[in-house]
Short mmCIF file of all heavy atoms in Angstrom, two decimals:
data_model
loop_
_atom_site.label_atom_id
_atom_site.label_comp_id
_atom_site.label_asym_id
_atom_site.label_seq_id
_atom_site.Cartn_x
_atom_site.Cartn_y
_atom_site.Cartn_z
N ARG U 30 82.85 92.45 113.15
CA ARG U 30 81.86 93.29 112.46
C ARG U 30 80.62 93.60 113.30
O ARG U 30 79.77 94.37 112.89
CB ARG U 30 81.47 92.66 111.14
CG ARG U 30 82.66 92.54 110.21
CD ARG U 30 82.22 92.70 108.79
NE ARG U 30 83.39 92.82 107.93
CZ ARG U 30 83.80 93.96 107.42
NH1 ARG U 30 83.18 95.07 107.67
NH2 ARG U 30 84.86 93.99 106.63
N ARG U 31 80.52 93.03 114.48
CA ARG U 31 79.42 93.37 115.38
C ARG U 31 79.79 94.50 116.32
O ARG U 31 78.95 95.03 117.03
CB ARG U 31 78.99 92.13 116.18
CG ARG U 31 78.24 91.13 115.30
CD ARG U 31 77.80 89.92 116.08
NE ARG U 31 78.93 89.00 116.11
CZ ARG U 31 79.16 88.11 117.04
NH1 ARG U 31 78.34 88.00 118.06
NH2 ARG U 31 80.19 87.31 116.98
N ARG U 32 81.05 94.85 116.34
CA ARG U 32 81.53 95.91 117.24
C ARG U 32 82.34 96.93 116.44
O ARG U 32 83.35 96.58 115.84
CB ARG U 32 82.39 95.27 118.31
CG ARG U 32 82.83 96.23 119.33
CD ARG U 32 82.79 95.60 120.65
NE ARG U 32 83.02 96.68 121.58
CZ ARG U 32 83.11 96.52 122.84
NH1 ARG U 32 82.95 95.34 123.36
NH2 ARG U 32 83.33 97.53 123.62
N TRP U 33 81.89 98.17 116.43
CA TRP U 33 82.52 99.20 115.62
C TRP U 33 83.06 100.33 116.49
O TRP U 33 82.54 100.60 117.57
CB TRP U 33 81.52 99.77 114.62
CG TRP U 33 81.23 98.78 113.53
CD1 TRP U 33 80.48 97.65 113.63
CD2 TRP U 33 81.71 98.83 112.20
NE1 TRP U 33 80.47 96.98 112.44
CE2 TRP U 33 81.21 97.68 111.53
CE3 TRP U 33 82.51 99.71 111.48
CZ2 TRP U 33 81.50 97.42 110.20
CZ3 TRP U 33 82.78 99.45 110.15
CH2 TRP U 33 82.28 98.31 109.53
N ALA U 34 84.08 100.98 115.99
CA ALA U 34 84.68 102.13 116.68
C ALA U 34 84.79 103.29 115.69
O ALA U 34 84.88 103.08 114.48
CB ALA U 34 86.06 101.77 117.19
N THR U 35 84.78 104.48 116.22
CA THR U 35 84.99 105.68 115.40
C THR U 35 86.22 106.39 115.94
O THR U 35 86.31 106.65 117.13
CB THR U 35 83.77 106.61 115.46
OG1 THR U 35 82.63 105.90 114.98
CG2 THR U 35 83.99 107.84 114.60
N GLN U 36 87.15 106.67 115.05
CA GLN U 36 88.35 107.41 115.43
C GLN U 36 88.39 108.71 114.65
O GLN U 36 87.91 108.79 113.52
CB GLN U 36 89.60 106.59 115.10
CG GLN U 36 89.79 105.40 115.99
CD GLN U 36 91.04 104.64 115.64
OE1 GLN U 36 91.02 103.82 114.73
NE2 GLN U 36 92.12 104.95 116.32
N THR U 37 88.95 109.73 115.27
CA THR U 37 89.08 111.01 114.57
C THR U 37 90.52 111.17 114.08
O THR U 37 91.46 110.65 114.68
CB THR U 37 88.71 112.18 115.49
OG1 THR U 37 89.54 112.14 116.65
CG2 THR U 37 87.25 112.11 115.90
N THR U 38 90.64 111.88 112.98
CA THR U 38 91.95 112.20 112.42
C THR U 38 91.96 113.69 112.12
O THR U 38 90.93 114.35 112.16
CB THR U 38 92.22 111.43 111.11
OG1 THR U 38 91.27 111.86 110.13
CG2 THR U 38 92.13 109.94 111.29
N THR U 39 93.12 114.20 111.83
CA THR U 39 93.22 115.59 111.40
C THR U 39 92.68 115.66 109.97
O THR U 39 93.18 114.96 109.09
CB THR U 39 94.68 116.06 111.43
OG1 THR U 39 95.18 115.86 112.75
CG2 THR U 39 94.80 117.51 111.03
N PRO U 40 91.65 116.47 109.72
CA PRO U 40 91.13 116.57 108.35
C PRO U 40 92.24 116.91 107.36
O PRO U 40 93.14 117.70 107.65
CB PRO U 40 90.11 117.70 108.44
CG PRO U 40 89.67 117.67 109.87
CD PRO U 40 90.91 117.31 110.64
N LEU U 41 92.19 116.27 106.22
CA LEU U 41 93.15 116.43 105.12
C LEU U 41 94.56 115.96 105.48
O LEU U 41 95.52 116.25 104.78
CB LEU U 41 93.19 117.87 104.61
CG LEU U 41 91.89 118.38 104.01
CD1 LEU U 41 92.01 119.84 103.63
CD2 LEU U 41 91.48 117.56 102.80
N TRP U 42 94.70 115.18 106.55
CA TRP U 42 96.02 114.69 106.96
C TRP U 42 96.69 113.91 105.84
O TRP U 42 97.85 114.15 105.53
CB TRP U 42 95.90 113.82 108.21
CG TRP U 42 97.21 113.20 108.57
CD1 TRP U 42 98.20 113.77 109.30
CD2 TRP U 42 97.69 111.92 108.19
NE1 TRP U 42 99.27 112.92 109.39
CE2 TRP U 42 98.98 111.77 108.72
CE3 TRP U 42 97.16 110.87 107.44
CZ2 TRP U 42 99.74 110.63 108.53
CZ3 TRP U 42 97.91 109.73 107.26
CH2 TRP U 42 99.18 109.62 107.80
N TRP U 43 95.98 112.98 105.24
CA TRP U 43 96.57 112.13 104.21
C TRP U 43 97.06 112.96 103.03
O TRP U 43 98.20 112.84 102.61
CB TRP U 43 95.55 111.09 103.74
CG TRP U 43 96.08 110.19 102.68
CD1 TRP U 43 95.91 110.29 101.34
CD2 TRP U 43 96.91 109.04 102.88
NE1 TRP U 43 96.56 109.30 100.70
CE2 TRP U 43 97.19 108.51 101.62
CE3 TRP U 43 97.44 108.43 104.01
CZ2 TRP U 43 97.97 107.38 101.44
CZ3 TRP U 43 98.22 107.30 103.84
CH2 TRP U 43 98.47 106.79 102.57
N GLU U 44 96.21 113.80 102.51
CA GLU U 44 96.55 114.61 101.34
C GLU U 44 97.73 115.53 101.63
O GLU U 44 98.65 115.65 100.82
CB GLU U 44 95.33 115.42 100.93
CG GLU U 44 95.47 116.06 99.58
CD GLU U 44 94.15 116.68 99.14
OE1 GLU U 44 93.07 116.12 99.41
OE2 GLU U 44 94.24 117.76 98.53
N THR U 45 97.73 116.18 102.77
CA THR U 45 98.81 117.08 103.14
C THR U 45 100.13 116.32 103.27
O THR U 45 101.17 116.78 102.79
CB THR U 45 98.48 117.77 104.48
OG1 THR U 45 97.23 118.44 104.35
CG2 THR U 45 99.55 118.76 104.88
N THR U 46 100.09 115.16 103.89
CA THR U 46 101.30 114.35 104.07
C THR U 46 101.85 113.89 102.74
O THR U 46 103.07 113.98 102.49
CB THR U 46 100.99 113.14 104.97
OG1 THR U 46 100.49 113.62 106.22
CG2 THR U 46 102.23 112.30 105.21
N ILE U 47 100.99 113.41 101.85
CA ILE U 47 101.44 112.94 100.54
C ILE U 47 102.06 114.09 99.75
O ILE U 47 103.12 113.94 99.15
CB ILE U 47 100.27 112.30 99.76
CG1 ILE U 47 99.81 111.02 100.43
CG2 ILE U 47 100.65 112.05 98.30
CD1 ILE U 47 100.88 109.95 100.54
N ARG U 48 101.42 115.23 99.74
CA ARG U 48 101.97 116.38 99.01
C ARG U 48 103.35 116.77 99.53
O ARG U 48 104.25 117.09 98.77
CB ARG U 48 101.03 117.57 99.11
CG ARG U 48 99.87 117.46 98.20
CD ARG U 48 99.06 118.74 98.21
NE ARG U 48 97.89 118.57 97.35
CZ ARG U 48 96.79 119.24 97.48
NH1 ARG U 48 96.68 120.16 98.43
NH2 ARG U 48 95.78 119.03 96.69
N ARG U 49 103.50 116.74 100.83
CA ARG U 49 104.77 117.13 101.44
C ARG U 49 105.90 116.17 101.07
O ARG U 49 107.03 116.58 100.86
CB ARG U 49 104.61 117.19 102.96
CG ARG U 49 105.86 117.71 103.66
CD ARG U 49 105.71 117.79 105.17
NE ARG U 49 104.37 118.19 105.58
CZ ARG U 49 103.70 117.59 106.56
NH1 ARG U 49 104.20 116.58 107.24
NH2 ARG U 49 102.50 118.01 106.89
N HIS U 50 105.59 114.89 100.98
CA HIS U 50 106.62 113.88 100.75
C HIS U 50 106.69 113.36 99.31
O HIS U 50 107.50 112.49 99.01
CB HIS U 50 106.40 112.71 101.71
CG HIS U 50 106.55 113.11 103.14
ND1 HIS U 50 107.76 113.37 103.72
CD2 HIS U 50 105.61 113.33 104.11
CE1 HIS U 50 107.58 113.73 104.99
NE2 HIS U 50 106.28 113.71 105.24
N ARG U 51 105.85 113.87 98.44
CA ARG U 51 105.78 113.37 97.07
C ARG U 51 107.12 113.40 96.33
O ARG U 51 107.49 112.40 95.70
CB ARG U 51 104.72 114.13 96.29
CG ARG U 51 104.55 113.59 94.91
CD ARG U 51 103.44 114.28 94.19
NE ARG U 51 103.35 113.78 92.84
CZ ARG U 51 102.38 114.06 92.03
NH1 ARG U 51 101.40 114.85 92.41
NH2 ARG U 51 102.37 113.56 90.82
N PRO U 52 107.88 114.47 96.38
CA PRO U 52 109.16 114.47 95.64
C PRO U 52 110.08 113.33 96.09
O PRO U 52 110.69 112.65 95.25
CB PRO U 52 109.76 115.84 95.97
CG PRO U 52 108.59 116.71 96.28
CD PRO U 52 107.61 115.79 96.98
N ARG U 53 110.17 113.11 97.38
CA ARG U 53 111.02 112.03 97.88
C ARG U 53 110.49 110.66 97.46
O ARG U 53 111.25 109.78 97.06
CB ARG U 53 111.14 112.09 99.39
CG ARG U 53 112.08 111.03 99.96
CD ARG U 53 112.29 111.19 101.45
NE ARG U 53 111.06 111.21 102.20
CZ ARG U 53 110.53 110.14 102.81
NH1 ARG U 53 111.12 108.98 102.75
NH2 ARG U 53 109.41 110.26 103.48
N MET U 54 109.17 110.48 97.51
CA MET U 54 108.58 109.20 97.11
C MET U 54 108.83 108.95 95.63
O MET U 54 109.17 107.82 95.24
CB MET U 54 107.08 109.19 97.40
CG MET U 54 106.76 109.17 98.88
SD MET U 54 105.02 108.94 99.30
CE MET U 54 104.21 110.25 98.41
N GLU U 55 108.70 109.98 94.79
CA GLU U 55 108.94 109.82 93.36
C GLU U 55 110.40 109.45 93.09
O GLU U 55 110.69 108.60 92.25
CB GLU U 55 108.55 111.08 92.60
CG GLU U 55 107.05 111.26 92.53
CD GLU U 55 106.64 112.56 91.88
OE1 GLU U 55 107.49 113.49 91.75
OE2 GLU U 55 105.47 112.66 91.49
N ARG U 56 111.32 110.08 93.82
CA ARG U 56 112.75 109.72 93.66
C ARG U 56 113.00 108.28 94.03
O ARG U 56 113.75 107.56 93.35
CB ARG U 56 113.63 110.65 94.51
CG ARG U 56 113.78 112.05 93.95
CD ARG U 56 114.89 112.83 94.67
NE ARG U 56 114.76 112.85 96.12
CZ ARG U 56 114.05 113.75 96.81
NH1 ARG U 56 113.42 114.72 96.17
NH2 ARG U 56 114.00 113.70 98.12
N GLU U 57 112.39 107.83 95.11
CA GLU U 57 112.58 106.44 95.55
C GLU U 57 112.01 105.44 94.55
O GLU U 57 112.62 104.41 94.28
CB GLU U 57 111.97 106.22 96.93
CG GLU U 57 112.77 106.82 98.06
CD GLU U 57 114.15 106.18 98.15
OE1 GLU U 57 114.27 104.93 98.22
OE2 GLU U 57 115.13 106.93 98.14
N VAL U 58 110.84 105.74 94.00
CA VAL U 58 110.25 104.86 92.98
C VAL U 58 111.18 104.79 91.78
O VAL U 58 111.43 103.71 91.23
CB VAL U 58 108.83 105.32 92.59
CG1 VAL U 58 108.35 104.59 91.35
CG2 VAL U 58 107.87 105.12 93.74
N GLU U 59 111.70 105.93 91.34
CA GLU U 59 112.64 105.95 90.20
C GLU U 59 113.88 105.12 90.51
O GLU U 59 114.37 104.38 89.66
CB GLU U 59 113.04 107.39 89.87
CG GLU U 59 112.03 108.12 89.04
CD GLU U 59 111.83 107.48 87.68
OE1 GLU U 59 112.81 107.06 87.03
OE2 GLU U 59 110.64 107.40 87.27
N ARG U 60 114.39 105.23 91.72
CA ARG U 60 115.59 104.48 92.10
C ARG U 60 115.32 102.98 92.03
O ARG U 60 116.11 102.21 91.48
CB ARG U 60 116.03 104.86 93.51
CG ARG U 60 117.33 104.20 93.96
CD ARG U 60 117.63 104.46 95.42
NE ARG U 60 116.62 103.94 96.33
CZ ARG U 60 116.49 102.64 96.65
NH1 ARG U 60 117.29 101.74 96.14
NH2 ARG U 60 115.55 102.27 97.49
#
């Protein structure tokens, strides 16, 4: 906690990825 780093990501990466894979994730949860 005395040493910090900043990393960059593609904005909205998480949301875009979840939306793209949501149908498959829902099927797997149901299974």
Side-chain angles (χ1 to χ4, degrees):
R30 298 213 170 256
R31 287 181 276 153
R32 184 141 189 182
W33 288 73
T35 301
Q36 289 181 276
T37 57
T38 64
T39 304
L41 297 176
W42 174 84
W43 180 262
E44 192 172 323
T45 303
T46 302
I47 293 300
R48 282 187 183 155
R49 185 179 324 135
H50 297 286
R51 184 176 177 171
R53 183 174 55 96
M54 292 187 305
E55 288 176 343
R56 285 192 308 272
E57 285 298 307
V58 168
E59 279 297 319
R60 184 187 61 77

